[in-house]
Amino acid sequence: MISKKMEGLVKGSSVIRAMFEDGKLLAQKYGAENVFDFSLGNPNVPAPKEVNDAIIDVVSNTDSVKLHGYMSNAGHDEVRDIIAQSLNGKYGTAYDRSNIVMTVGAAGGMNVALKSIINPGDEVIVFAPYFGEYDNYVANYDGKVVAITPDIDTFQPNLSEFEDKITNKTACVIINSPNNPTGVIYSEETLKGLSAALEKKQRELGRTIYLISDEPYRELVYDGAYVPWVPDYYRNTIVGYSYSKSLSLPGERIGYLVIPSDADDHEDLASAASVATRILGFVNAPSVMQLVVGKCIDASTDISYYERNRNTLYEGLTKLGFECRKPEGAFYLFMKTPIEDDNEFAGMARKHNILLVPGSAFMCRGFVRIAYCVSYETVKGSLPKFQELAAALGLRGVS
Amino acid sequence: MISKKMEGLVKGSSVIRAMFEDGKLLAQKYGAENVFDFSLGNPNVPAPKEVNDAIIDVVSNTDSVKLHGYMSNAGHDEVRDIIAQSLNGKYGTAYDRSNIVMTVGAAGGMNVALKSIINPGDEVIVFAPYFGEYDNYVANYDGKVVAITPDIDTFQPNLSEFEDKITNKTACVIINSPNNPTGVIYSEETLKGLSAALEKKQRELGRTIYLISDEPYRELVYDGAYVPWVPDYYRNTIVGYSYSKSLSLPGERIGYLVIPSDADDHEDLASAASVATRILGFVNAPSVMQLVVGKCIDASTDISYYERNRNTLYEGLTKLGFECRKPEGAFYLFMKTPIEDDNEFAGMARKHNILLVPGSAFMCRGFVRIAYCVSYETVKGSLPKFQELAAALGLRGVS
């Protein structure tokens, strides 16, 4: 007697649960240290010390009703001020608290944004490969996902196909850079092209098309890479952010939306976001964590940890003859599968105790995602196993 | 360009926001101590000391990845164990972790439950007066609220009308006891009657009808009143709970659902609740707060604080000639308005700097809700103002 919408999702979820159970069984059978689980985006780096210090500080020094009570659905005013000012310092913007809505992580923010925008039957354009959960978020509001086929050479959005797919039903477009699962950062050129296409189509169709920029990996970049600030390129942008990765706080569910003042219907949109936060049952982002991120605005996780994993993995895999782009950000490496069927390849890897997510889960066959937000020991220990896998496939590595 | 569903809600929300602004203006004009704001259910009692102690304890003594990382969408296993065992101790049940899904407060839990159950067009029965937000929660999933008219003598559900309104479209029924806005506890007799009607209709219609029992006020009762455990009376019950009121943590968004093993399709329902938690964007209840409520399972807020407010307000108002039932639980008093129009009465009260919510907001005209989760000074200070109001209305009090 569960709802029809949920029936299929529960079945799908059972498959994922089966995968988890499978991983646990492998760990029991072979020992956890002999299982190389790259399947989950759960940061293995501790939160920076500032976070726990800030928790103890706010808990010890804040009046209980202020600390744990309701505030405006959009969040604590002073925290939104701090975030606005921090963004202004980084990007030369002029935001204030009215541009910021605190959310229950990026997933909460995405749902709030989509609920605020989508009418049933509206189309939402995404670029493959993309985080499969977007399908569920869009379906929550009876929207329809329109996926653009991947450019597997660059993993930048395919802009010509994009322009063709924009219709008078297109309510919004979702991008995610640095990208899950590819680790690619969308370039300035990409954003200019994306913006030009959107501006042109907005004029032609006489409607607003919002761009939702999902940016939980914004601070996770390597080699000094630059992540352009998307609203600089396209006015009707809504930015979704989360502290899940940048402060290693995924379980705490804390993030925010930026709704710039020059976006169409900015005030209604900000009001809708506040109301959506309330009626979807979030009510507000968790209070203590709001105050904590306000105090940790300049803190960051230890990126060198992920960078070492990235370098070791990238060098190790390419030496073995595997093909992949070196990730520029996030903590994912998207590797071409030496055989066509990525599900079959993931199955083969599993026989060597390596757990990977097939690219099909991101609407991009022929690849696997390797989440390297794991211990360095796991990365190092996996390479001999990848070597066995390469040998089984007859790959000819460099050495 | 916001969604059509949100347009009306944003307009409604502006009215509420205008009320808030109005309250602030009154406070500026007359001084905060001369404004008697009974409009909000935001607890004014500090969280018990155990809560902040537990926060500092878990933050100081838990590995960061465990403390702040992802866990199962249903929540930390050991916290769900503790909650199940606590319920078993109180109610003689036999729950385990599989019966508990941690949620982002009761509002999050209600959304998760409704998303799991409702198909578009399904009917959800509620008993007036009821928390108006249920309308929005049900509309999120394209359900239709069917409200049963209030029994203004007892504020127990009107069971004969209830039975008549159950159709083959009835997916679930929502109850809330101790009740917002009346402070009434639904009696054992009520629950037996409710259950009998549901069982009868389930058989007749050949379908499952779930009963969602929204219980954020379960621990807030006076004079040793007894709150029956609803699943004891009706098998297909889902209980929603929140620590917002019992531990004064409304801003932290922490609660849980109980899905008993003898409810129809229990396993699918529990899976659906986990998946709904994920795809609605909650992902999981905030991690630190989960661990904290696990440590504070026997803590409670200072109920004597609310009890004193209740007694002073009830005695004061009835002496002045106002009519109301003495609340048995929660922190609301639902007062009959001496004039028919409750909106007009609330407007009159406002002229005496008393802020009240008209019963119409709870689908029950001719009453106002007085939320007495305020300081005792506010309660005491309001009585002379209520006296002015009584005099203006020509009420003849006891003294």
Side-chain angles (χ1 to χ4, degrees), chain A residues 45 221-222 301-311:
Chain A
V45 177
V221 296
Y222 311 111
T301 191
D302 180 6
I303 294 170
S304 68
Y305 183 101
Y306 296 126
E307 190 159 22
R308 185 171 64 157
N309 283 356
R310 175 193 75 145
N311 293 343

Side-chain angles (χ1 to χ4, degrees), chain A residues 1 19 28 117 157 320 348 352:
Chain A
M1 287 311 295
M19 277 179 60
Q28 275 172 18
I117 293 170
L320 291 170
M348 290 178 70
H352 298 270

Side-chain angles (χ1 to χ4, degrees), chain A residues 1-6 9-10 13-14 16-17 24 41-47 51-53 55-56 59-60 62 64-65 67-71 77 104-105 107-109 111 114-119 133 136-137 139-142 207-208 210 244-245 248-253 264-265 268-269 271-273 275-276 278-290, chain B residues 1-6 9-10 13-14 16-17 24 41-47 51-53 55-56 59-60 62 64-65 67-71 77 104-105 107-109 111 114-119 133 136-137 139-142 207-208 210 244-245 248-253 264-265 268-269 271-273 275-276 278-290:
Chain A
M1 287 311 295
I2 64 171
S3 74
K4 300 229 182 327
K5 265 194 178 182
M6 294 305 292
L9 290 167
V10 165
S13 143
S14 302
I16 295 169
R17 205 166 53 234
K24 274 193 212 163
N42 195 12
N44 194 49
V45 177
V51 167
N52 287 358
D53 289 350
I55 294 174
I56 292 170
V59 164
S60 307
T62 314
S64 184
V65 174
L67 180 65
H68 298 304
Y70 287 130
M71 77 300 301
D77 286 344
V104 171
N111 271 278
L114 292 169
K115 169 105 181 153
S116 300
I117 293 170
I118 297 182
N119 291 306
E133 203 77 334
N136 296 325
Y137 301 164
N140 282 338
Y141 313 103
D142 299 310
R207 69 161 293 165
T208 298
Y210 291 108
S244 293
K245 323 295 178 180
S248 288
L249 298 174
E252 304 301 353
R253 317 307 304 134
D264 286 351
D265 297 315
D268 278 354
L269 197 54
S271 297
V275 173
R278 201 188 80 218
I279 68 176
L280 283 172
F282 302 112
V283 181
N284 53 252
S287 178
V288 163
M289 277 298 151
Q290 286 190 44
Chain B
M1 287 310 296
I2 63 171
S3 74
K4 300 230 180 328
K5 264 194 179 184
M6 294 303 294
L9 290 167
V10 165
S13 142
S14 302
I16 295 168
R17 206 168 49 236
K24 275 193 212 163
N42 194 13
N44 194 48
V45 177
V51 167
N52 287 357
D53 289 350
I55 294 175
I56 291 170
V59 164
S60 306
T62 315
S64 183
V65 174
L67 179 66
H68 298 304
Y70 287 129
M71 77 299 301
D77 286 345
V104 171
N111 271 277
L114 293 168
K115 168 104 182 157
S116 299
I117 293 170
I118 297 181
N119 291 307
E133 203 77 334
N136 297 323
Y137 301 163
N140 282 338
Y141 313 103
D142 299 310
R207 68 160 297 165
T208 298
Y210 290 108
S244 293
K245 323 296 177 181
S248 288
L249 298 175
E252 305 301 353
R253 315 309 303 134
D264 286 351
D265 297 315
D268 278 355
L269 197 54
S271 297
V275 174
R278 202 188 78 218
I279 69 176
L280 283 172
F282 302 112
V283 181
N284 53 251
S287 179
V288 163
M289 277 299 151
Q290 286 190 44

Side-chain angles (χ1 to χ4, degrees), chain B residues 28-156:
Chain B
Q28 274 173 19
K29 195 166 169 188
Y30 298 103
E33 71 282 9
N34 297 314
V35 177
F36 307 96
D37 188 347
F38 295 102
S39 64
L40 284 182
N42 194 13
N44 194 48
V45 177
K49 186 175 176 303
E50 291 97 316
V51 167
N52 287 357
D53 289 350
I55 294 175
I56 291 170
D57 178 11
V58 299
V59 164
S60 306
N61 298 308
T62 315
D63 167 72
S64 183
V65 174
K66 158 88 186 181
L67 179 66
H68 298 304
Y70 287 129
M71 77 299 301
S72 153
N73 299 133
H76 287 293
D77 286 345
E78 70 274 26
V79 175
R80 292 154 64 208
D81 286 343
I82 291 168
I83 290 169
Q85 282 157 24
S86 168
L87 293 171
N88 294 345
K90 281 184 191 168
Y91 303 113
T93 47
Y95 301 136
D96 62 33
R97 69 176 70 165
S98 74
N99 301 113
I100 309 292
V101 177
M102 301 303 296
T103 61
V104 171
M110 295 295 287
N111 271 277
V112 163
L114 293 168
K115 168 104 182 157
S116 299
I117 293 170
I118 297 181
N119 291 307
D122 277 354
E123 292 171 355
V124 177
I125 297 180
V126 297
F127 297 96
Y130 66 91
F131 183 42
E133 203 77 334
Y134 294 158
D135 289 347
N136 297 323
Y137 301 163
V138 171
N140 282 338
Y141 313 103
D142 299 310
K144 189 188 154 201
V145 166
V146 175
I148 307 298
T149 50
D151 173 346
I152 60 170
D153 293 323
T154 66
F155 288 122
Q156 298 283 328

